[in-house]
Amino acid sequence: MNFENIHIDPLEKKWIYVSLAIAGLFVSILLIDSLFHGIDAPSNVETIDSARLHLSKEFAEDNLGVQVDTNGDITIRMVAGRYTFFPKHITVPADTRLTFRWASMDVLHGVHMPMTNMSTMIVPGYVSEVTTIFPKPGKYPLLCNEYCGLGHDHMWSNVVVVAKEHWQAPAKTQPAGDTNDG
Ligand SMILES: [Cu+2]
């Protein structure tokens, strides 16, 4: 079959080009976001036993929150559970590379910080990791964006982003490289 023999109305042809151009525009926006703005689909694959988080080294209650590793990297560990994030408040520096590590203790949750690129699913059995920089100081809500039950609407924490020079590292520092097979 020869497609060149198919009659396509010139107006229809015009709209085919318009729709191809729109699709091309969307693909290039995705590529530019990914390559230049650091907005990517989360891709960390790391398993953890969600039922035994409290017994794991990394996500045990004492180990949650903001920590500065021995090499100066800042890691924030948080647990999502119906219906809150633990801890409820964190304070982090602006303009600084932050690595968030999340685990769920029950069902599927999501985490979203409006006006930032922080957004990921928290799938039971896996550790979600997001590395980001918050350029502007301010108070940000941290919201669950995956419906997880009747209390879902009340599932949130507070993130306070303070200017780099006003931020104080928490007293406790943790050696990097803890494993989860405890
Ligand atoms: Cu939820």
Side-chain angles (χ1 to χ4, degrees):
M1 191 174 154
N2 188 351
F3 286 98
E4 293 187 356
N5 293 336
I6 300 177
H7 171 74
I8 301 177
D9 187 89
L11 185 64
E12 201 175 357
K13 219 176 221 172
K14 212 178 272 174
W15 281 106
I16 290 175
Y17 290 133
V18 169
S19 54
L20 284 179
I22 291 173
L25 176 73
F26 288 159
V27 170
S28 36
I29 289 174
L30 283 180
L31 282 175
I32 290 168
D33 272 346
S34 168
L35 296 174
F36 302 109
H37 299 155
I39 299 175
D40 294 302
S43 57
N44 189 48
V45 178
E46 199 181 325
T47 55
I48 190 165
D49 185 350
S50 275
R52 293 163 59 86
L53 281 187
H54 57 299
L55 301 175
S56 79
K57 283 181 195 154
E58 184 175 1
F59 290 96
E61 201 176 344
D62 294 355
N63 206 40
L64 300 179
V66 184
Q67 288 180 10
V68 183
D69 294 334
T70 38
N71 50 2
D73 292 342
I74 300 176
T75 305
I76 299 104
R77 294 182 178 84
M78 292 180 88
V79 166
R82 288 182 292 180
Y83 295 103
T84 191
F85 296 100
F86 304 93
K88 196 85 181 145
H89 296 269
I90 59 165
T91 304
V92 294
D95 229 350
T96 308
R97 219 176 113 92
L98 307 168
T99 300
F100 283 82
R101 285 171 63 76
W102 305 92
S104 165
M105 64 182 203
D106 40 40
V107 298
L108 174 69
H109 295 285
V111 60
H112 173 59
M113 264 175 76
M115 316 303 280
T116 72
N117 69 347
M118 159 67 81
S119 182
T120 187
M121 281 172 132
I122 308 171
V123 184
Y126 292 88
V127 178
S128 304
E129 189 176 293
V130 175
T131 299
T132 189
I133 293 172
F134 300 134
K136 283 194 204 119
K139 284 184 181 169
Y140 297 82
L142 194 75
L143 309 166
C144 179
N145 63 356
E146 295 285 345
Y147 184 74
C148 53
L150 288 178
H152 168 69
D153 290 353
H154 306 286
M155 184 165 170
W156 48 269
S157 272
N158 288 312
V159 179
V160 178
V161 179
V162 297
K164 217 177 192 172
E165 54 275 17
H166 296 144
W167 186 73
Q168 257 188 336
K172 186 176 64 168
T173 53
Q174 188 70 20
D178 256 7
T179 58
N180 287 317
D181 25 81

